[in-house]
Amino acid sequence: MSATIFEKGKNGKSHSYLPPHDCPLEKLDLPGRRKSALDLPVIGEQDLIRHYVELASKNYHIDKGMYPLGSCTMKYNPVVNEELARLEGFNGLHPLQDEEDVQGALELMYNLQEALCEICGMSAFTLQPAAGAHGELAGMMIARDYFRDRRENRKTVLVPDSAHGTNPASVVTCGFTPRTVPSNEQGLIDPAVLERETGPDTAVLMLTLPNTLGLFERDIARVVEIVHRAGALVYMDGANMNALLGIVKPGEIGMDIMHLNLHKTFSTPHGGGGPGAGPVGVRAPLEDYLPVPRVVKEKERFSLRQRADKSIGRVHPWYGNFNVFVKAYAYIRTLGAAGLREVAENAILNANYLMKKISQWYYLKYPGPCMHEFVVSGKNLKDYGVRTTDVAKRLLDYGLHAPTVYFPLIVEEALMIEPVETEKKETLDRFAAVMERIAEEARENPSLLLEAPLTTPVRRLDEAAAARSPELCWSGEERK
Ligand SMILES: *Cc1c(COP(=O)(O)O)cnc(C)c1O
């Protein structure tokens, strides 16, 4: 492991090309001002740059290789959209600027809302939520207040066992009680089971569509009818809309509330903790409940409407992550309707191609056809003492990122693979070839897998400790 910048800069020599400052020194006399100097590393400029370039080169990222992380849509996002988001006219704005001076920015937000309404067949969208799970929470708050105003005391939210993990969490955070709807042997909702579970206490059916098995609910029309007949709402988790663009408009198949992940489908990278956006769309009767402020257009002038009696209020400071909106809008305008549909077609084609190949060597519980992703199982390798974790770790030795593993929970030893629409056939073939090779290794030399990864900067970490008690600060002591 390489030394930290603190270790490298402990007794180091500074070297920089900046002239000495020539401003008079002003002594700040503030309460809480530290008495001693900060113990910062001292290091020359070139060594500093080398240190961080070395660290960066150890990282794996989408610009380095394929990233088949199921449900995360780790695709190539055009750099030109980043450049547009960085234009000074956007990047230099202040959220307190007068509406008159930021008409262009408001127009962009308004147009993006309109575009999302058109793409999804919804009546109105808010851009405010900062992530997918945040959108889910906002959507559930809308449902809660809607039933409160109707004086209906509905407390249960039905969540299929094929839903994304954040769904039941959002339900609980909002004060509802989740109730699991088991899927059938095809991995889909069984309308008869749903009918049994739905009752006067049901507020919402929260549907991940396509579900986490990458499957589209074949009985969606029946499903929606059952829920609506009971006076409840259907919420669609549309984080993986790259499977449906231009093919399905959720509003037209009865979805009442939905969210999107702009940082998956619409040209902002997902992951890394950067800014995201989880816009929420609703059908007409729910429009008044959307968060404020809302961007509205009156007589060619755009403004932020700050008050609405039924609104759930604010869910974000100001109005959301504006730079993400710029990228999404640029992406939508560049591709147009035909291009967006092609995104979905390629996502589906790539996933089915890879599923056919990989299911030769790994167990496929739900044969599909799939949408944007699929789930195979490593359980056929158990006979050789090898588990899915070992497959994932061995992939790293081949210079590939591992898929999502052990999710969804309804597939034993799950490997959830999303090739995404931007990978070409040669890349998919290489990934499949490596998966085949690893399955062979499992049979012929399983210890290779059990010891993997052999080539990475660190080997197997204690994952529980890494998540629960990470050591994030340098203690000042030399490491052994
Ligand atoms: C990614 C994802 C989410 C959560 O989105 P975040 O932005 O990570 O909060 C929710 N549902 C589905 C189906 C997803 O794929």
Side-chain angles (χ1 to χ4, degrees):
M1 202 191 282
S2 49
T4 66
I5 190 78
F6 286 93
E7 285 161 315
K8 284 184 183 170
K10 204 136 188 246
N11 303 305
K13 289 197 170 53
S14 163
H15 199 251
S16 90
Y17 301 92
L18 294 175
H21 65 78
D22 54 1
C23 304
L25 278 180
E26 201 64 51
K27 208 167 170 195
L28 282 177
D29 206 11
L30 298 171
R33 187 172 169 269
R34 57 180 303 128
K35 303 272 184 297
S36 56
L38 268 174
D39 184 18
L40 291 174
V42 179
I43 193 164
E45 193 171 309
Q46 189 177 36
D47 289 335
L48 180 77
I49 287 175
R50 285 186 178 157
H51 175 74
Y52 285 108
V53 169
E54 189 199 330
L55 285 183
S57 68
K58 285 186 173 148
N59 211 356
Y60 192 87
H61 44 87
I62 190 67
D63 295 334
K64 209 169 188 175
M66 186 192 180
Y67 214 115
L69 204 55
S71 193
C72 289
T73 315
M74 301 299 286
K75 66 182 181 185
Y76 173 70
N77 293 301
V79 174
V80 65
N81 298 335
E82 298 287 342
E83 279 178 22
L84 294 175
R86 243 180 266 140
L87 287 177
E88 204 194 340
F90 293 133
N91 205 16
L93 296 179
H94 190 281
L96 280 176
Q97 255 170 284
D98 201 88
E99 279 173 12
E100 278 314 317
D101 299 337
V102 293
Q103 283 293 300
L106 294 176
E107 180 173 5
L108 184 143
M109 288 168 68
Y110 182 85
N111 288 352
L112 176 60
Q113 287 173 183
E114 293 291 295
L116 297 181
C117 286
E118 173 65 24
I119 290 167
C120 297
M122 305 303 278
S123 305
F125 257 95
T126 173
L127 304 175
Q128 229 181 82
H134 194 190
E136 291 168 28
L137 179 63
M140 294 319 284
M141 288 163 76
I142 290 170
R144 182 191 65 195
D145 288 4
Y146 169 76
F147 286 118
R148 181 201 60 203
D149 287 353
R150 293 170 63 91
R151 299 185 191 286
E152 291 182 46
N153 187 26
R154 294 170 181 259
K155 282 278 162 239
T156 307
V157 175
L158 302 175
V159 186
D161 59 8
S162 58
H164 195 75
T166 49
N167 291 183
S170 302
V171 168
V172 172
T173 309
C174 202
F176 287 110
T177 309
R179 189 182 171 100
T180 306
V181 182
S183 46
N184 63 16
E185 64 284 352
Q186 282 135 37
L188 300 170
I189 295 177
D190 182 335
V193 173
L194 180 69
E195 189 129 42
R196 252 199 333 269
E197 300 289 335
T198 309
D201 190 51
T202 307
V204 180
L205 166 69
M206 198 167 188
L207 205 62
T208 299
L209 195 70
N211 69 21
T212 55
L213 296 165
L215 303 174
F216 191 83
E217 296 294 345
R218 216 169 299 158
D219 290 310
I220 190 70
R222 279 288 315 283
V223 165
V224 169
E225 189 204 323
I226 290 167
V227 176
H228 282 167
R229 200 168 355 102
L233 300 171
V234 187
Y235 182 101
M236 177 176 141
D237 178 338
N240 303 133
M241 193 70 191
N242 62 325
L244 305 179
L245 290 174
I247 301 173
V248 177
K249 289 191 176 191
E252 288 181 358
I253 58 169
M255 303 297 132
D256 299 297
I257 312 174
M258 70 175 295
H259 82 264
L260 296 165
N261 276 34
L262 297 189
H263 53 292
K264 276 181 186 168
T265 309
F266 294 99
S267 195
T268 282
H270 179 239
V280 170
V282 293
R283 292 219 285 171
L286 297 164
E287 203 172 319
D288 295 343
Y289 293 90
L290 287 173
V292 284
R294 293 192 55 200
V295 186
V296 290
K297 180 180 181 182
E298 279 152 336
K299 297 202 193 84
E300 298 311 306
R301 190 183 169 279
F302 300 91
S303 59
L304 290 165
R305 187 181 290 156
Q306 299 288 353
R307 281 190 53 83
D309 289 343
K310 290 183 174 171
S311 167
I312 61 167
R314 274 178 185 279
V315 296
H316 193 284
W318 313 115
Y319 34 66
N321 286 326
F322 181 74
N323 70 338
V324 180
F325 309 157
V326 177
K327 289 184 269 185
Y329 187 58
Y331 183 71
I332 290 168
R333 291 297 304 265
T334 309
L335 289 177
L340 289 175
R341 188 183 165 102
E342 224 177 296
V343 165
E345 287 172 349
N346 285 335
I348 295 169
L349 182 63
N350 275 1
N352 280 283
Y353 177 75
L354 205 52
M355 182 177 77
K356 276 274 181 268
K357 289 204 133 189
I358 287 181
S359 60
Q360 298 172 82
W361 316 296
Y362 296 82
Y363 175 66
L364 181 66
K365 185 173 174 191
Y366 304 105
C370 65
M371 300 294 285
H372 63 300
E373 69 188 2
F374 60 96
V375 181
V376 289
S377 164
K379 78 169 188 178
N380 54 312
L381 304 180
K382 268 184 157 176
D383 292 346
Y384 315 104
V386 165
R387 301 192 55 200
T388 280
T389 312
D390 309 316
V391 175
K393 299 293 182 198
R394 187 66 182 145
L395 273 166
L396 309 181
D397 282 335
Y398 286 99
L400 286 161
H401 196 282
T404 301
V405 292
Y406 296 102
F407 193 83
L409 304 174
I410 48 179
V411 175
E412 183 189 350
E413 296 292 320
L415 285 147
M416 185 197 214
I417 300 171
E418 181 180 9
V420 307
E421 61 271 16
T422 50
E423 295 299 344
K424 60 183 191 292
K425 180 173 172 294
E426 288 75 6
T427 311
L428 304 184
D429 287 339
R430 158 133 207 281
F431 179 72
V434 170
M435 289 295 280
E436 179 183 17
R437 182 88 199 93
I438 292 175
E440 270 166 31
E441 286 175 351
R443 284 191 300 273
E444 290 158 12
N445 189 3
S447 65
L448 259 183
L449 273 75
L450 299 177
E451 279 165 36
L454 302 162
T455 57
T456 47
V458 288
R459 303 281 299 277
R460 292 210 187 191
L461 302 175
D462 179 341
E463 285 168 20
R468 301 234 166 100
S469 46
E471 233 177 83
L472 299 176
C473 292
W474 183 62
S475 67
E477 287 173 25
E478 297 289 347
R479 271 178 304 172
K480 288 120 218 141

